[in-house]
């Protein structure tokens, strides 16, 4: 299933990225791949959407990007969640749960 | 591997990005496109198809140019060569240089130990030597009118000896001499 509603995808993009950075820093390509993989291909961000979004989150100081050089590998820009980002993630998770619950109550959709 | 950097530069031309921002965006996105291209090749796409799949990342469904236009970029720290001053301030690159130095030392612990020992021994020896010079040659003696102190030696014609240590009694006798 591929979500056609771009607005819905846009609304959840920040939450998705912040969630993926919760455990450890990741680079842009890895973030894109994980979103596609974990959503079974339903969600996909191309580079043109993903990186400007990362830069916006970085500008808000929710995430921080840093070039990392590892021996034998090309240098990559890793993004990690900041303390502010962690608070925003918790708040966005709560809002998302409330939103989904509200939609569920109206539409009668129930989740297992 | 196709040259994606020029394609990315073309797609963000005219956005008035700072050279540092442009350089980092081009590097980061070209890595992404290269990996996308490699992935497509590994899944059986031809080189031409793989290149197109990667380039579509810049335009489908959103264009990079339009997205970046709406994005305020975070302040990018430009890559600096060692020793180059960031903003003309003499000490602005001090912490960058310090961090770089520590990273280099951590990479080669053997060299770091030799360098630290060499510096330690060198500084220790110099300090000890200068302490002696200071006390013996530079600092005045702890007596009043120390510049008027004289050393008195005796000599003996019979034994043909010079610089015989003079006693207090000798000194009293010398004082009585006409």
């Amino acid at each position: 299933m591929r979500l056609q509603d771009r607005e819905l995808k846009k609304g959840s993009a920040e939450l998705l990225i912040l969630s993926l950075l919760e455990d450890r820093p990741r680079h842009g390509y890895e973030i894109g791949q994980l979103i596609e993989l974990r959503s079974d291909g339903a969600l996909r961000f191309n580079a043109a959407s993903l990186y400007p979004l990362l830069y916006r989150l970085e500008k808000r100081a929710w995430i921080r990007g840093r070039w990392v050089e590892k021996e034998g590998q090309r240098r990559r820009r890793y993004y990690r969640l900041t303390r502010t980002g962690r608070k925003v993630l918790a708040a966005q998770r709560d809002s998302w749960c409330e939103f989904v619950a509200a939609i569920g109550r109206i539409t009668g959709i129930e989740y297992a | 591997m196709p040259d994606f950097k020029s394609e990315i530069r073309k797609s963000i031309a005219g956005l008035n990005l700072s050279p540092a921002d442009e350089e980092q965006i081009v590097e980061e996105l070209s890595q992404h496109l290269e990996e996308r291209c490699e992935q497509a090749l590994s899944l059986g796409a031809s080189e031409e198809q793989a290149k197109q799949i990667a380039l579509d990342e810049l335009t489908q469904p959103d264009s990079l140019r339009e997205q970046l236009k709406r994005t305020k970029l975070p302040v990018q720290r430009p890559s600096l060569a060692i020793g180059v001053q960031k903003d003309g301030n003499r000490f602005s690159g001090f912490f960058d240089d310090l961090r770089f130095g520590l990273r280099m030392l951590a990479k080669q612990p053997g060299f770091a130990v030799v360098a630290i020992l060499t510096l330690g021994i060198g500084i220790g020896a110099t300090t000890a030597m200068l302490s002696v010079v200071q006390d013996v040659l530079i600092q005045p003696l702890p007596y009043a009118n120390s510049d008027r102190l004289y050393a008195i030696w005796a000599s003996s014609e019979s034994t043909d000896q010079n610089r015989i240590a003079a006693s207090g009694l000798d000194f009293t006798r010398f004082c009585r001499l006409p």
Side-chain angles (χ1 to χ4, degrees), chain B residues 25-98:
Chain B
I25 289 170
V26 168
E27 182 172 355
E28 192 170 20
L29 267 84
S30 67
Q31 283 183 7
H32 185 104
L33 299 196
E34 282 171 17
E35 290 193 71
R36 190 87 183 95
C37 189
E38 282 166 12
Q39 186 194 37
L41 285 170
S42 69
L43 292 172
S46 68
E47 276 193 22
E48 203 51 42
Q49 286 169 329
K51 183 183 174 187
Q52 194 51 53
I53 288 169
L55 286 177
D56 283 348
E57 291 265 326
L58 297 178
T59 51
Q60 303 291 333
D62 303 305
S63 99
L64 177 64
R65 191 186 167 74
E66 292 305 314
Q67 291 290 319
L68 280 178
K69 250 189 205 173
R70 293 201 291 267
T71 304
K72 277 194 174 175
L73 294 170
V75 179
Q76 302 281 3
R77 298 207 301 167
S79 306
L80 284 174
I82 305 162
V84 171
Q85 291 162 19
K86 264 190 273 189
D87 50 15
N89 182 335
R90 186 179 292 266
F91 298 106
S92 57
F94 174 75
F95 288 106
D96 288 332
D97 291 345
L98 187 68

Side-chain angles (χ1 to χ4, degrees), chain B residues 114-164:
Chain B
V114 172
I116 290 166
L117 278 180
T118 308
L119 279 172
I121 292 169
I123 292 168
T126 312
T127 309
M129 203 172 70
L130 286 176
S131 302
V132 172
V133 169
Q134 166 83 357
D135 284 347
V136 173
L137 300 177
I138 300 174
Q139 284 278 39
L141 293 169
Y143 312 113
N145 303 321
S146 59
D147 56 329
R148 297 184 61 204
L149 279 174
Y150 292 91
I152 296 174
W153 304 96
S155 59
S156 164
E157 282 178 7
S158 57
T159 57
D160 201 23
Q161 272 184 303
N162 284 323
R163 292 175 72 92
I164 302 168

Side-chain angles (χ1 to χ4, degrees), chain A residues 6 44 46 67 74-75, chain B residues 24 31 34 57 60 62:
Chain A
R6 290 176 63 192
R44 199 175 164 272
N46 69 348
W67 288 99
R74 56 185 156 193
R75 69 176 199 145
Chain B
Q24 300 210 28
Q31 283 183 7
E34 282 171 17
E57 291 265 326
Q60 303 291 333
D62 303 305

